[in-house]
Amino acid sequence: MENLKSEIAAAAGRIVVEEGLEYGPAKRRAVKQLGLNARSAMPDNDAVEEAVREYIALFCADTQPAELRALRVLALTWMERLAQFRPHLGGAVWHGTATRLSDIYIQLFCDDSKSAELALVDNRVDYEARTVTGFHGDAVEALSLSSVSRELQEAIGVHLLIYDLDDVRGALRKDAQGRSPRGDINAVRALLDNA
């Protein structure tokens, strides 16, 4: 069973890098591509992330660092624009596994859940409002937009997930590997300065 989970993780890692899918959909597609039962035991996200890192090291080591930097620059631009909402970068761009196909996920911690949306409207930013699963597993509002990266010369998906201000405390708990699951503006600046 562990060999099967490893095979699924490796296939999912390749799909994440090559197609820009998130881990859940990539695992489901990997199971399908491998011709396995849809109820097969799935690897956890840590195993998929490890497979993504291995795939990047083998096949994308010459391009991925510049792509990651460009995504972090774009993320920082949006975080600075929305600084009043205490933005925190998460996902592959924060963890260092992003490629040009990856979207940017920024969590905003607001006193008023509509204030971030009003800020986008005031600045004439086109966005799509939707509901997604948040970091606690509950539904949260997301404002999705497209923003052009000058370095990559293409449009990148930017997703602003709206949380209550009180949620910021739980958002900073370290994961099972002792890593911070997201970082604020200063943390993203430090990643760029140390790259």
Side-chain angles (χ1 to χ4, degrees), residues 1-45:
M1 184 187 258
E2 288 305 312
N3 284 342
L4 192 57
K5 282 185 178 181
S6 294
E7 193 173 343
I8 294 168
R14 178 187 52 77
I15 291 167
V16 167
V17 175
E18 290 182 356
E19 299 179 32
L21 286 183
E22 296 300 315
Y23 290 4
K27 288 190 267 189
R28 290 189 292 279
R29 181 165 309 160
V31 165
K32 191 173 185 179
Q33 284 182 357
L34 294 169
L36 301 171
N37 184 323
R39 298 177 203 240
S40 297
M42 295 285 196
D44 62 19
N45 286 346

Side-chain angles (χ1 to χ4, degrees), residues 137-180:
D138 50 348
V140 297
E141 184 179 356
L143 308 174
S144 297
L145 56 102
S146 181
S147 186
V148 174
S149 164
R150 279 184 278 171
E151 291 88 351
L152 298 176
Q153 297 183 351
E154 61 187 70
I156 304 296
V158 178
H159 308 282
L160 309 171
L161 284 66
I162 311 299
Y163 291 93
D164 289 331
L165 182 57
D166 293 341
D167 290 331
V168 76
R169 279 177 259 158
L172 301 178
R173 281 193 208 116
K174 304 232 183 264
D175 67 11
Q177 298 173 356
R179 302 176 304 177
S180 178

Side-chain angles (χ1 to χ4, degrees), residues 63-110:
T63 58
Q64 191 266 348
E67 293 173 1
L68 175 62
R69 179 171 180 71
L71 292 170
R72 285 177 170 168
V73 166
L74 184 58
L76 184 59
T77 299
W78 279 100
M79 293 172 78
E80 288 170 343
R81 286 181 187 166
L82 300 166
Q84 70 194 65
F85 305 112
R86 299 158 201 87
H88 284 70
L89 179 63
V93 178
W94 169 249
H95 289 296
T97 57
T99 67
R100 71 184 321 116
L101 298 176
S102 302
D103 285 353
I104 296 169
Y105 292 89
I106 300 172
Q107 289 106 25
L108 304 177
F109 298 92
C110 308

